[in-house]
Amino acid sequence: MASWQSILTSLFLRVTVKRRIDPHARPADARARVNRLAARFNKERDWIKVTPATTNGVPGEWVETTGEHAPSTDENARKVLLYLHGGGYIVCSPLTHRYMVARICRDAGLRALVPDYRLAPEHPFPAAVEDAEAAYRYLLDEGYAGKDIVVAGDSAGGGLTLALLLTLRDKNLPMPAGAALLSPWTDLALTGWTMLTNARKDPMLRLESANLGARHYLQGTSPTHPIASPLYADLAGLPPMTIQVGENEILLDDSLRLHDKAKQAGVNTHLETFAGMPHVFQAFAQIPESATAIRKLANFLGARARGEIGSPAITTAATSKPPAMSPQSSTTQAAE
């Protein structure tokens, strides 16, 4: 059963995001409102160090933890997380995601590079993919080996993470050691059944908003283009990945189908669905389930970057339909 904190947070999101943010608002207005909301959850912490960065022409920031939260060894300091923020390709920035990224870094013992990639509609597909690749190439140029790098992203940033992996594979560039996907948006054609079945339950996202975001980003590109919508790509050869998604999301099927397809392509993939959780619930530190999910993400990312594990945890095989949910816990699925 979902915690009372998550229930209250979902109510807050339903009132402040789903009901009040106009899906037809000008992107600049939507960004301003999202930034104001995000400021409530991104207060300054003395254990978070932020340094501006420019990576092959792409602005961004380094996020590190200090003091007792700093990486424990010099070797860990040479392990890095490349984090790609979500926001439907039209809103959000490194600032909106700073606290969540710092929490992952703290638990994983990593530092993170968060690029401020270009947003639509001013910069449609493939601008975001180009910027993600530029940031990754910057890390390689700085002496990081592929095995020292892990990549993660939420929502559109999760889809962008997959787009980056596919691009690296197709260009024969060194692959990162692993990837974590938080409620990834993998199907811009919006064909997932939960786009309809979870329309009322999702406290944050609307099909109408997703459709407009896809139109802003694609601007004539096919919604089934395999880099814009990685669900339609050949996923063979991708590194191990872990996927987390909330049971109440309209994007639930994007994760379920991705996991199933990745498994069929021979990718080490691990899927966990969290009962009663909203979209990217990991961002809300007041939710107990958020801390649990962040810890699991951090364990996976830290272990992959340090070469401590060969694959995600292995339990039962996935199906392409929503799994039956335990009333007390999340459901974990994996494939080797």
Side-chain angles (χ1 to χ4, degrees), residues 34-90:
V34 168
N35 287 341
R36 288 195 297 271
L37 287 171
R40 300 188 183 190
F41 304 98
N42 280 278
K43 297 178 181 178
E44 296 293 331
R45 272 82 174 178
D46 58 10
W47 54 271
I48 302 175
K49 177 184 177 182
V50 177
T51 307
T54 301
T55 60
N56 287 331
V58 179
E61 63 184 35
W62 284 101
V63 176
E64 303 174 75
T65 54
T66 61
E68 63 179 316
H69 303 295
S72 57
T73 66
D74 290 340
E75 181 181 357
N76 284 354
R78 289 297 301 172
K79 308 296 183 179
V80 64
L81 165 64
L82 176 63
Y83 194 90
L84 303 172
H85 70 79
Y89 297 108
I90 58 176

Coordinates of all heavy atoms in Angstrom, one line a residue, residues 34-90:
V34 N 7.0 25.4 -14.2 CA 7.7 24.2 -13.7 C 8.8 24.6 -12.8 O 9.1 23.9 -11.8 CB 8.1 23.3 -14.9 CG1 9.0 22.2 -14.4 CG2 6.9 22.7 -15.6
N35 N 9.6 25.6 -13.2 CA 10.7 26.0 -12.4 C 10.3 26.5 -11.0 O 11.0 26.2 -10.0 CB 11.5 27.1 -13.1 CG 12.3 26.6 -14.3 OD1 12.6 25.4 -14.4 ND2 12.7 27.5 -15.2
R36 N 9.2 27.2 -10.9 CA 8.7 27.6 -9.6 C 8.3 26.5 -8.8 O 8.6 26.4 -7.6 CB 7.5 28.6 -9.8 CG 7.9 30.0 -10.4 CD 6.8 31.0 -10.2 NE 5.6 30.6 -10.9 CZ 5.3 30.9 -12.2 NH1 6.2 31.7 -12.9 NH2 4.2 30.6 -12.8
L37 N 7.7 25.5 -9.4 CA 7.3 24.3 -8.6 C 8.5 23.5 -8.1 O 8.6 23.1 -7.0 CB 6.4 23.4 -9.4 CG 4.9 23.9 -9.7 CD1 4.2 23.0 -10.7 CD2 4.2 23.9 -8.4
A38 N 9.5 23.4 -9.1 CA 10.7 22.6 -8.7 C 11.5 23.3 -7.6 O 12.2 22.6 -6.8 CB 11.5 22.4 -10.0
A39 N 11.4 24.6 -7.5 CA 12.2 25.3 -6.5 C 11.8 24.9 -5.1 O 12.6 24.9 -4.2 CB 12.0 26.8 -6.7
R40 N 10.5 24.4 -5.0 CA 10.1 23.9 -3.6 C 10.8 22.7 -3.2 O 10.9 22.4 -2.0 CB 8.6 23.6 -3.7 CG 7.7 24.7 -4.1 CD 6.2 24.4 -3.9 NE 5.3 25.4 -4.3 CZ 4.0 25.4 -4.1 NH1 3.5 24.4 -3.5 NH2 3.3 26.4 -4.6
F41 N 11.3 21.9 -4.2 CA 12.0 20.6 -3.8 C 13.5 20.7 -4.0 O 14.2 19.7 -3.9 CB 11.4 19.5 -4.7 CG 9.9 19.4 -4.6 CD1 9.1 20.0 -5.5 CD2 9.4 18.7 -3.5 CE1 7.7 19.9 -5.4 CE2 8.0 18.6 -3.3 CZ 7.1 19.2 -4.3
N42 N 14.0 21.9 -4.4 CA 15.5 22.0 -4.7 C 16.2 23.0 -3.9 O 16.9 23.8 -4.4 CB 15.7 22.2 -6.2 CG 15.5 21.0 -7.0 OD1 16.5 20.2 -7.2 ND2 14.3 20.8 -7.6
K43 N 15.9 23.1 -2.6 CA 16.5 24.1 -1.7 C 18.0 23.7 -1.6 O 18.4 22.6 -1.7 CB 15.9 24.1 -0.4 CG 14.4 24.5 -0.4 CD 13.8 24.5 1.0 CE 12.3 24.9 0.9 NZ 11.6 24.8 2.2
E44 N 18.8 24.7 -1.4 CA 20.3 24.5 -1.2 C 20.6 23.7 0.0 O 20.0 23.8 1.0 CB 21.0 25.9 -1.1 CG 20.8 26.8 -2.3 CD 21.6 26.3 -3.5 OE1 22.6 25.5 -3.3 OE2 21.1 26.5 -4.7
R45 N 21.5 22.7 -0.2 CA 22.0 21.9 0.8 C 23.5 22.1 0.9 O 24.2 22.1 -0.1 CB 21.7 20.4 0.6 CG 20.3 19.9 1.1 CD 19.2 20.3 0.2 NE 17.9 19.7 0.7 CZ 16.8 19.9 0.0 NH1 16.7 20.6 -1.1 NH2 15.7 19.4 0.5
D46 N 24.0 22.1 2.1 CA 25.5 22.4 2.3 C 26.3 21.2 1.9 O 27.6 21.3 1.7 CB 25.8 22.8 3.7 CG 25.4 21.8 4.8 OD1 25.0 20.6 4.4 OD2 25.5 22.1 6.0
W47 N 25.7 20.0 1.6 CA 26.5 18.9 1.2 C 26.5 18.7 -0.3 O 27.1 17.7 -0.8 CB 26.0 17.6 1.9 CG 24.6 17.3 1.7 CD1 23.5 17.8 2.5 CD2 23.9 16.5 0.7 NE1 22.3 17.3 2.1 CE2 22.5 16.5 1.0 CE3 24.4 15.8 -0.4 CZ2 21.6 15.9 0.2 CZ3 23.5 15.1 -1.2 CH2 22.1 15.2 -0.9
I48 N 25.9 19.6 -1.0 CA 25.8 19.5 -2.5 C 26.7 20.6 -3.1 O 26.6 21.8 -2.8 CB 24.4 19.7 -3.0 CG1 23.5 18.6 -2.4 CG2 24.4 19.6 -4.5 CD1 22.0 18.8 -2.8
K49 N 27.7 20.2 -3.9 CA 28.5 21.1 -4.6 C 28.2 21.1 -6.1 O 28.1 20.1 -6.7 CB 30.0 20.7 -4.4 CG 31.0 21.6 -5.2 CD 32.4 21.1 -5.0 CE 33.4 21.9 -5.8 NZ 34.8 21.4 -5.7
V50 N 28.0 22.3 -6.6 CA 27.6 22.5 -8.0 C 28.6 23.3 -8.7 O 29.0 24.4 -8.2 CB 26.2 23.1 -8.2 CG1 25.8 23.3 -9.6 CG2 25.1 22.2 -7.5
T51 N 29.1 22.8 -9.9 CA 30.1 23.6 -10.6 C 29.6 23.7 -12.1 O 29.3 22.6 -12.7 CB 31.5 22.8 -10.6 OG1 31.9 22.6 -9.3 CG2 32.5 23.7 -11.3
P52 N 29.5 24.9 -12.6 CA 29.1 25.0 -14.0 C 30.1 24.3 -15.0 O 31.3 24.2 -14.7 CB 29.2 26.5 -14.3 CG 29.0 27.1 -12.9 CD 29.7 26.2 -12.0
A53 N 29.5 23.7 -16.0 CA 30.4 23.0 -17.0 C 30.0 23.3 -18.4 O 28.8 23.7 -18.7 CB 30.2 21.5 -16.7
T54 N 30.9 23.2 -19.3 CA 30.6 23.3 -20.7 C 31.3 22.1 -21.4 O 32.5 21.9 -21.3 CB 31.2 24.6 -21.3 OG1 30.6 25.7 -20.7 CG2 30.9 24.7 -22.8
T55 N 30.4 21.3 -22.0 CA 30.9 20.0 -22.6 C 30.7 20.0 -24.1 O 29.6 19.8 -24.6 CB 30.1 18.9 -21.9 OG1 28.7 19.0 -22.2 CG2 30.3 18.9 -20.4
N56 N 31.8 20.3 -24.8 CA 31.8 20.3 -26.2 C 30.7 21.3 -26.7 O 29.9 21.0 -27.6 CB 31.6 18.9 -26.8 CG 32.8 18.1 -26.7 OD1 33.9 18.6 -26.7 ND2 32.6 16.7 -26.6
G57 N 30.6 22.4 -26.0 CA 29.7 23.5 -26.4 C 28.3 23.4 -25.8 O 27.5 24.3 -25.9
V58 N 28.1 22.3 -25.0 CA 26.8 22.1 -24.3 C 26.9 22.6 -22.9 O 27.8 22.0 -22.2 CB 26.3 20.7 -24.4 CG1 25.0 20.5 -23.7 CG2 26.2 20.2 -25.9
P59 N 26.1 23.5 -22.4 CA 26.2 23.9 -21.0 C 25.7 22.8 -20.1 O 25.0 21.9 -20.5 CB 25.4 25.2 -21.0 CG 24.4 25.0 -22.0 CD 25.1 24.3 -23.2
G60 N 26.0 23.0 -18.8 CA 25.5 22.0 -17.9 C 26.1 22.2 -16.5 O 26.7 23.3 -16.3
E61 N 26.1 21.2 -15.7 CA 26.8 21.4 -14.4 C 27.2 20.0 -13.8 O 26.7 19.0 -14.2 CB 25.8 22.0 -13.4 CG 24.5 21.2 -13.1 CD 23.6 21.9 -12.2 OE1 23.5 23.2 -12.3 OE2 22.9 21.3 -11.3
W62 N 28.3 20.1 -13.0 CA 28.8 19.0 -12.2 C 28.0 19.0 -10.9 O 27.9 20.1 -10.3 CB 30.3 19.1 -12.0 CG 31.1 18.7 -13.2 CD1 31.8 19.5 -14.0 CD2 31.4 17.3 -13.6 NE1 32.4 18.8 -15.0 CE2 32.2 17.4 -14.7 CE3 31.0 16.1 -13.1 CZ2 32.7 16.3 -15.4 CZ3 31.5 15.0 -13.8 CH2 32.4 15.1 -14.9
V63 N 27.5 17.9 -10.5 CA 26.9 17.8 -9.2 C 27.7 16.8 -8.3 O 28.0 15.6 -8.8 CB 25.5 17.3 -9.3 CG1 24.9 17.1 -7.9 CG2 24.6 18.3 -10.0
E64 N 28.2 17.2 -7.2 CA 29.0 16.4 -6.3 C 28.6 16.5 -4.9 O 27.9 17.5 -4.5 CB 30.5 16.8 -6.4 CG 31.1 16.8 -7.8 CD 32.5 17.4 -7.9 OE1 33.4 16.7 -7.4 OE2 32.7 18.5 -8.3
T65 N 28.9 15.5 -4.1 CA 28.6 15.6 -2.7 C 29.9 15.8 -1.9 O 30.9 15.4 -2.3 CB 27.9 14.3 -2.2 OG1 28.7 13.2 -2.6 CG2 26.6 14.1 -2.9
T66 N 29.7 16.5 -0.8 CA 30.9 16.9 0.0 C 30.9 16.3 1.4 O 29.9 15.8 1.8 CB 31.0 18.4 0.1 OG1 29.9 19.0 0.7 CG2 31.1 19.0 -1.3
G67 N 32.0 16.5 2.1 CA 32.0 16.1 3.5 C 31.9 14.6 3.7 O 32.4 13.8 2.9
E68 N 31.0 14.2 4.6 CA 30.8 12.8 4.9 C 30.1 12.1 3.7 O 30.1 10.9 3.6 CB 30.0 12.6 6.1 CG 28.6 13.2 6.1 CD 27.8 12.9 7.3 OE1 27.9 11.8 7.9 OE2 27.2 13.9 7.8
H69 N 29.5 12.9 2.8 CA 28.8 12.3 1.7 C 29.7 12.2 0.4 O 29.2 11.7 -0.6 CB 27.6 13.2 1.3 CG 26.6 13.3 2.5 ND1 25.9 12.3 3.0 CD2 26.3 14.4 3.2 CE1 25.2 12.7 4.0 NE2 25.4 14.0 4.2
A70 N 30.9 12.6 0.5 CA 31.8 12.6 -0.7 C 32.2 11.2 -1.0 O 32.1 10.3 -0.2 CB 33.0 13.5 -0.4
P71 N 32.6 10.9 -2.3 CA 33.1 9.6 -2.7 C 34.2 9.2 -1.7 O 35.0 10.0 -1.3 CB 33.6 9.8 -4.1 CG 32.8 10.9 -4.6 CD 32.5 11.9 -3.4
S72 N 34.2 7.9 -1.4 CA 35.0 7.4 -0.3 C 36.5 7.2 -0.7 O 37.4 7.2 0.1 CB 34.5 6.1 0.2 OG 34.4 5.1 -0.8
T73 N 36.8 7.1 -2.0 CA 38.1 6.9 -2.5 C 38.4 7.7 -3.7 O 37.5 8.2 -4.4 CB 38.4 5.4 -2.8 OG1 37.6 5.1 -4.0 CG2 38.0 4.5 -1.7
D74 N 39.7 7.9 -4.0 CA 40.1 8.6 -5.2 C 39.6 7.9 -6.4 O 39.2 8.5 -7.4 CB 41.6 8.8 -5.2 CG 42.1 9.8 -4.2 OD1 41.3 10.6 -3.7 OD2 43.3 9.7 -3.8
E75 N 39.6 6.6 -6.4 CA 39.1 5.8 -7.5 C 37.7 6.0 -7.8 O 37.3 6.2 -8.9 CB 39.4 4.3 -7.2 CG 38.9 3.4 -8.4 CD 39.1 1.9 -8.1 OE1 39.6 1.6 -7.0 OE2 38.8 1.1 -9.0
N76 N 36.9 6.2 -6.7 CA 35.4 6.5 -6.9 C 35.2 7.8 -7.6 O 34.3 8.0 -8.3 CB 34.7 6.4 -5.6 CG 34.4 5.0 -5.1 OD1 34.7 4.0 -5.8 ND2 33.9 4.8 -3.9
A77 N 36.1 8.8 -7.3 CA 36.0 10.1 -7.8 C 36.2 10.1 -9.3 O 35.9 11.0 -10.0 CB 37.1 11.0 -7.2
R78 N 36.8 9.0 -9.9 CA 37.0 8.9 -11.3 C 35.9 8.1 -12.0 O 36.0 7.7 -13.1 CB 38.3 8.3 -11.6 CG 39.5 9.2 -11.4 CD 39.5 10.4 -12.2 NE 39.5 10.1 -13.7 CZ 39.3 11.0 -14.6 NH1 39.0 12.3 -14.3 NH2 39.4 10.7 -15.9
K79 N 34.8 7.8 -11.2 CA 33.6 7.2 -11.7 C 32.5 8.2 -11.9 O 32.4 9.1 -11.0 CB 33.2 6.0 -10.8 CG 34.2 5.0 -10.5 CD 34.8 4.3 -11.7 CE 35.8 3.2 -11.3 NZ 36.3 2.5 -12.4
V80 N 31.8 8.2 -12.9 CA 30.9 9.3 -13.2 C 29.5 8.9 -13.7 O 29.4 7.9 -14.4 CB 31.5 10.3 -14.2 CG1 31.7 9.7 -15.6 CG2 30.7 11.6 -14.3
L81 N 28.5 9.6 -13.3 CA 27.1 9.4 -13.8 C 26.8 10.6 -14.7 O 27.0 11.8 -14.4 CB 26.2 9.5 -12.6 CG 24.7 9.7 -12.9 CD1 24.1 8.5 -13.7 CD2 23.9 9.9 -11.6
L82 N 26.4 10.2 -15.9 CA 25.9 11.2 -16.9 C 24.4 11.2 -16.7 O 23.7 10.2 -17.0 CB 26.3 10.9 -18.3 CG 25.7 11.8 -19.4 CD1 26.2 13.2 -19.2 CD2 26.1 11.3 -20.8
Y83 N 23.8 12.3 -16.2 CA 22.3 12.3 -15.9 C 21.6 13.2 -16.9 O 22.0 14.4 -17.1 CB 22.0 12.7 -14.5 CG 20.6 12.4 -14.2 CD1 20.2 11.2 -13.6 CD2 19.5 13.3 -14.5 CE1 18.9 10.9 -13.3 CE2 18.2 13.0 -14.2 CZ 17.9 11.8 -13.6 OH 16.6 11.4 -13.4
L84 N 20.6 12.7 -17.6 CA 19.8 13.4 -18.6 C 18.4 13.6 -18.0 O 17.6 12.7 -17.8 CB 19.7 12.6 -19.9 CG 21.1 12.2 -20.5 CD1 20.9 11.3 -21.6 CD2 21.8 13.5 -20.9
H85 N 18.1 14.9 -17.7 CA 16.9 15.2 -17.0 C 15.6 15.1 -17.9 O 15.7 15.1 -19.2 CB 16.9 16.7 -16.5 CG 16.9 17.7 -17.6 ND1 15.7 18.1 -18.2 CD2 17.9 18.5 -18.2 CE1 16.0 19.0 -19.1 NE2 17.3 19.3 -19.1
G86 N 14.5 14.9 -17.3 CA 13.2 14.8 -18.0 C 12.6 16.1 -18.2 O 13.1 17.2 -17.9
G87 N 11.3 16.1 -18.7 CA 10.6 17.3 -18.9 C 9.9 17.3 -20.2 O 9.6 18.4 -20.8
G88 N 9.6 16.2 -20.8 CA 8.9 16.1 -22.1 C 9.6 16.7 -23.3 O 9.0 17.1 -24.3
Y89 N 10.9 16.9 -23.1 CA 11.8 17.6 -24.1 C 11.5 19.1 -24.3 O 12.1 19.7 -25.2 CB 11.7 16.9 -25.5 CG 12.2 15.5 -25.5 CD1 11.3 14.4 -25.6 CD2 13.5 15.2 -25.5 CE1 11.7 13.1 -25.7 CE2 14.0 13.9 -25.5 CZ 13.1 12.9 -25.6 OH 13.5 11.6 -25.6
I90 N 10.6 19.6 -23.4 CA 10.2 21.1 -23.6 C 10.4 21.9 -22.3 O 10.4 23.1 -22.4 CB 8.8 21.2 -24.1 CG1 7.8 20.6 -23.2 CG2 8.7 20.7 -25.5 CD1 6.3 20.8 -23.6

